């Protein structure tokens, strides 16, 4: 009788908790946790937040679906649970970076926490302004660190960890740049036959840039129209705007093969063309052992400019990142060499020109084709990791309250549901879950990519870049002169490399330290070109024979 009474009491208590947490349990489904485990996490947040009730904190992140969900759904539910009100601002990526940099430079607390790209990690680990999360979780933030946070479950942890093993940012969302194409068009027998006749090999997923260029030419100049609609074999954007910088610095040069072998970013020359000795950047120009003005870099940018002008819609030359992102949904683009999977949620909506009558995608994503200078062992593309970042200028109590909000957004109670909405997964338990796996057919290859080890070959900007805000602006200012103004690529890359060297020297002078930039003496570029690795001498043939593989064969590269 006593045992039965205790069981009834336990059931009643559990029912009360389930009822108390009903709105959260209803919204945050599916979850990798059981309902009881979710209740335990929610209970912990409610109790841990008691000292901070009535506080209003400010957060800021870039404008993608995942962050809209956080700002409009998660933040209000967090407030209802904890009494901590969150003003979660959504802005452009460039604006987020500028505001974070301003707060670090001036020491004024504009925001209590940022979701900023891990691309800034090289500046963060050299800076005295960013909170070391490993130390924070052990000391000032110990009482507000979720016991079930399970740090090792985060798939992007290597990208937010400094060279000495300290966690500097907590991953919040991830998306990669992959090859995107209209599988339904590629399967048409008449197009396959026409392509084979013209180019002498099958119309399928391109493995190298030569094949990508042939396919771009084929659809733009030979096919021209499909089902009465003008079509193009390539999509990109070229307006002289800050977002153009991301297009190039986000692994475009490493996809071409400019840098060195070695993950995550090439050793000793990375995908920005920056050489380092130990942890110290020493130059970006060939005269200082860098590769930013090397033949491989010139090849990469020349292909970017030529393809944009010859094979993309004419209006693409004046588009920005945001404008170009929505273009392929119109159904007139055959392929895109470099497509951010952050757009997967938008492109998976029913009734689009790129979905079938059942709402399933007519498109697929696959491994990106590689340029003529690429070698096995190099990174294969870019992966964005937006991560929660605390700044030391934020008062401690506000740091602690903001840390609770950050963890709530990535806790296992929430993370799988957020992944299903935004399709920017951060946890191994989420990407391997049954609900995520069951969406394979509707997500065109995204599930297969994130369930494979190949995702580790897609990496963000790394530790070589000592000050992302200071250096990233150079990309769009110079590359825009080629894409938007038509200036000669070799001269532009020479000037860009020299400007990067000067900027590195200034960063080192303004912020001296053991890992600060320090330029090595300039030598003849020919001496460095004679060395193994990057910078690499010009190839006799930068367009080897095109090579394609069918989708089922290529996707095997992603299988564990």
């Amino acid at each position: 009788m006593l045992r039965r009474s205790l069981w009834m009491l336990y059931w009643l208590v559990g029912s009360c908790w389930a009822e108390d947490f009903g709105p959260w349990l209803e919204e945050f489904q599916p979850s990798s946790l059981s309902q009881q485990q979710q209740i335990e996490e929610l209970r912990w947040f409610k109790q841990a937040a008691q000292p901070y009730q009535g506080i209003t904190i400010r957060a800021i992140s870039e404008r993608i679906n995942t962050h809209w969900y956080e700002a409009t759904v998660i933040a209000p539910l967090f407030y209802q649970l904890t009494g901590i009100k969150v003003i979660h601002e959504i802005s452009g990526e460039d604006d987020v970076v500028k505001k974070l940099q301003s707060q670090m430079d001036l020491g004024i607390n504009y925001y209590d926490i940022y979701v900023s790209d891990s691309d800034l990690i090289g500046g963060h680990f050299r800076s005295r302004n960013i909170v070391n999360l490993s130390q924070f979780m052990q000391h000032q933030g110990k009482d507000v660190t979720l016991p079930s946070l399970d740090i090792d479950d985060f798939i992007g942890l290597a990208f937010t960890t400094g060279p000495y093993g300290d966690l500097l940012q907590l991953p919040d969302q991830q998306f990669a740049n992959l090859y995107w194409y209209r599988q339904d068009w590629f399967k048409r027998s008449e197009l396959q036959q026409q392509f084979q006749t013209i180019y002498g090999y099958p119309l399928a997923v391109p493995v190298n840039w030569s094949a990508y260029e042939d396919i771009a030419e084929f659809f733009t100049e030979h096919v021209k129209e499909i089902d009465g609609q003008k079509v193009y074999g390539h999509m990109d954007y070229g307006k002289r705007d800050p977002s153009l910088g991301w297009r190039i610095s986000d692994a475009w040069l490493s996809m071409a093969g400019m840098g060195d072998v070695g993950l995550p970013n090439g050793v000793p020359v990375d995908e920005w063309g920056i050489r380092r000795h130990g942890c110290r950047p020493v130059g970006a120009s060939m005269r200082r052992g860098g590769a930013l003005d090397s033949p491989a870099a010139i090849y990469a940018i020349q292909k970017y400019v030529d393809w944009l002008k010859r094979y993309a819609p004419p209006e693409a030359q004046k588009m920005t990142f945001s404008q170009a992102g929505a273009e392929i949904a119109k159904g007139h683009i055959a392929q895109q060499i470099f497509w951010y999977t952050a757009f997967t949620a938008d492109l998976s909506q029913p009734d689009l020109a790129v979905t079938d009558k059942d709402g399933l995608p007519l498109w697929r994503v696959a491994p990106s084709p590689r340029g003529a200078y690429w070698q096995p062992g190099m990174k294969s593309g870019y992966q964005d990791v937006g991560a929660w970042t605390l700044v030391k200028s934020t008062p401690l109590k506000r740091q602690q309250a903001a840390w609770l909000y950050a963890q709530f957004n990535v806790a296992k109670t929430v993370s799988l549901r957020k992944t299903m909405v935004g399709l920017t997964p951060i946890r191994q338990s989420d990407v391997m879950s049954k609900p995520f796996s069951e969406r394979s057919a509707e997500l065109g290859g995204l599930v297969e990519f994130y369930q494979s080890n190949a995702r580790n070959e897609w990496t963000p900007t790394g530790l070589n870049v000592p000050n992302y805000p200071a250096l990233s602006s150079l990309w769009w200012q110079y590359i825009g002169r080629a894409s938007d103004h038509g200036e000669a690529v070799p001269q532009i890359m020479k000037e860009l490399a020299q400007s990067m060297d000067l900027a590195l020297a200034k960063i080192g002078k303004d912020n001296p330290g053991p890992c600060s930039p320090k330029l090595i003496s300039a030598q003849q570029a020919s001496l460095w070109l004679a060395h193994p690795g990057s910078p690499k001498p010009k190839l006799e043939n930068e367009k080897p024979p095109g090579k394609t593989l069918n989708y089922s064969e290529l996707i095997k590269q992603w299988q564990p």
Side-chain angles (χ1 to χ4, degrees):
M1 185 70 179
L2 177 60
R3 182 180 296 176
R4 183 178 179 185
S5 298
L6 289 173
W7 182 87
M8 288 295 293
L9 178 62
Y10 175 81
W11 182 85
L12 287 170
V13 170
S15 297
C16 289
W17 276 114
E19 184 177 351
D20 287 347
F21 295 118
W24 295 269
L25 296 175
E26 182 179 353
E27 173 60 34
F28 298 132
Q29 298 299 328
S31 171
S32 62
L33 300 182
S34 67
Q35 185 180 84
Q36 184 59 39
Q37 289 172 322
Q38 284 185 288
I39 289 171
E40 289 171 3
E41 281 199 340
L42 292 166
R43 183 187 304 168
W44 181 88
F45 276 106
K46 188 172 184 177
Q47 293 173 346
Q50 287 180 0
Y52 310 96
Q53 289 187 7
I55 287 181
T56 297
I57 60 170
R58 293 178 62 88
I60 186 170
S61 58
E62 66 173 300
R63 193 178 291 109
I64 63 172
N65 288 351
T66 297
H67 296 319
W68 281 113
Y69 180 69
E70 292 170 341
T72 59
V73 176
I74 296 178
L77 285 172
F78 178 75
Y79 173 53
Q80 292 174 33
L81 180 69
T82 66
I84 301 171
K85 186 175 182 180
V86 182
I87 299 173
H88 189 143
E89 183 179 328
I90 305 295
S91 188
E93 181 184 356
D94 190 56
D95 183 56
V96 175
V97 171
K98 287 179 180 177
K99 287 176 175 175
L100 174 58
Q101 190 64 40
S102 295
Q103 181 159 336
M104 290 193 294
D105 291 344
L106 302 176
I108 299 173
N109 191 55
Y110 298 120
Y111 296 89
D112 301 302
I113 197 163
Y114 292 78
V115 182
S116 70
D117 284 358
S118 71
D119 297 321
L120 279 67
I121 191 76
H124 289 342
F125 95 83
R126 294 175 173 90
S127 169
R128 299 179 181 88
N129 299 315
I130 294 295
V131 174
N132 182 318
L133 295 181
S134 293
Q135 295 177 7
F136 182 77
M137 288 187 286
Q138 293 176 4
H139 301 291
Q140 299 100 323
K142 183 177 181 180
D143 292 338
V144 288
T145 296
L146 179 64
S148 56
L149 184 58
D150 192 4
I151 288 292
D152 292 337
D153 191 40
F154 288 84
I155 61 176
L157 217 60
F159 309 137
T160 59
T161 300
Y164 308 115
D166 293 319
L167 185 68
L168 303 180
Q169 301 171 274
L170 183 67
D172 181 69
Q173 50 85 1
Q174 287 185 222
F175 57 89
N177 67 279
L178 301 174
Y179 172 73
W180 178 99
Y181 77 107
R182 285 291 298 271
Q183 189 188 53
D184 59 327
W185 292 355
F186 279 45
K187 282 185 172 182
R188 292 193 178 192
S189 58
E190 71 276 15
L191 296 182
Q192 290 178 342
Q193 184 176 357
Q194 185 182 4
F195 186 87
Q196 179 78 46
T197 300
I198 296 172
Y199 298 99
Y201 60 95
L203 174 60
V205 179
V207 174
N208 57 14
W209 280 20
S210 299
Y212 182 86
E213 184 173 78
D214 287 346
I215 295 169
E217 178 186 75
F218 174 67
F219 278 98
T220 305
E221 298 182 1
H222 296 282
V223 177
K224 297 182 182 179
E225 288 188 2
I226 293 179
D227 300 330
Q229 181 182 28
K230 171 69 177 173
V231 299
Y232 297 91
H234 173 63
M235 183 59 204
D236 216 321
Y237 62 93
K239 185 175 181 180
R240 198 163 181 253
D241 169 88
S243 65
L244 178 60
W246 317 333
R247 193 62 176 174
I248 306 303
S249 66
D250 286 359
W252 182 258
L253 298 174
S254 66
M255 288 166 62
M258 176 198 68
D260 271 316
V261 169
L263 294 174
N265 302 100
V267 179
V269 178
D270 71 356
E271 76 271 32
W272 282 46
I274 298 174
R275 175 175 289 272
R276 64 177 170 90
H277 289 171
C279 64
R280 191 188 293 279
V282 297
S285 66
M286 284 196 296
R287 296 186 66 200
R288 290 186 167 86
L292 195 48
D293 53 348
S294 68
I298 293 169
Y299 157 83
I301 301 304
Q302 192 65 62
K303 289 296 184 186
Y304 157 73
V305 172
D306 291 346
W307 294 348
L308 176 66
K309 293 182 177 180
R310 288 188 61 184
Y311 307 128
E315 58 270 22
Q317 295 181 39
K318 297 297 182 181
M319 284 184 176
T320 64
F321 168 80
S322 299
Q323 294 166 327
E327 193 70 12
I328 58 176
K330 297 177 181 178
H332 63 313
I333 305 297
Q335 60 172 358
Q336 187 163 344
I337 190 171
F338 183 148
W339 181 74
Y340 291 99
T341 61
F343 296 120
T344 303
D346 289 333
L347 219 62
S348 301
Q349 300 299 318
D351 301 324
L352 291 178
V354 292
T355 55
D356 66 17
K357 58 182 177 59
D358 297 317
L360 296 176
L362 297 170
W363 52 268
R364 295 290 185 273
V365 291
S368 305
R370 291 135 178 182
Y373 291 85
W374 191 90
Q375 297 170 306
M378 295 181 65
K379 67 183 288 182
S380 296
Y382 173 79
Q383 186 162 193
D384 184 286
V385 181
W388 295 102
T389 309
L390 288 170
V391 186
K392 288 184 178 178
S393 61
T394 301
L396 178 58
K397 192 168 184 178
R398 303 186 69 80
Q399 286 180 357
Q400 293 165 334
W403 179 238
L404 284 170
Y405 176 62
Q407 292 174 99
F408 189 73
N409 279 277
V410 301
K412 289 183 179 179
T413 290
V414 175
S415 63
L416 180 52
R417 169 60 177 162
K418 191 175 78 169
T419 292
M420 300 295 272
V421 173
L423 300 177
T424 56
I426 54 170
R427 286 187 176 274
Q428 181 73 4
S429 57
D430 292 339
V431 300
M432 300 307 295
S433 68
K434 183 178 179 181
F436 188 63
S437 299
E438 289 175 342
R439 295 189 67 182
S440 173
E442 65 182 276
L443 298 181
L446 183 73
V447 172
E448 289 78 2
F449 173 73
Y450 274 105
Q451 289 186 342
S452 75
N453 292 327
R455 65 171 186 248
N456 298 317
E457 298 175 18
W458 275 254
T459 69
T461 300
L463 298 168
N464 281 20
V465 179
N467 188 323
Y468 185 92
L471 296 176
S472 61
S473 63
L474 297 175
W475 289 105
W476 68 270
Q477 294 180 45
Y478 282 91
I479 303 302
R481 287 167 49 188
S483 64
D484 207 10
H485 296 172
E487 296 184 39
V489 170
Q491 181 61 31
I492 287 171
M493 298 309 288
K494 181 178 180 179
E495 293 178 24
L496 173 57
Q498 292 172 345
S499 295
M500 193 76 75
D501 280 351
L502 292 173
L504 288 169
K506 185 177 187 304
I507 292 167
K509 181 179 179 181
D510 293 344
N511 298 282
C515 292
S516 295
K518 187 176 181 180
L519 298 184
I520 58 176
S521 299
Q523 302 182 60
Q524 290 295 321
S526 58
L527 296 177
W528 284 105
L529 289 169
H531 284 211
S534 185
K536 303 168 185 176
K538 184 177 175 62
L539 294 172
E540 290 185 10
N541 178 17
E542 291 183 333
K543 191 177 180 184
K547 182 180 179 181
T548 59
L549 284 175
N550 65 53
Y551 183 75
S552 61
E553 288 296 315
L554 204 57
I555 210 73
K556 288 180 181 178
Q557 296 181 17
W558 287 350
Q559 294 177 357

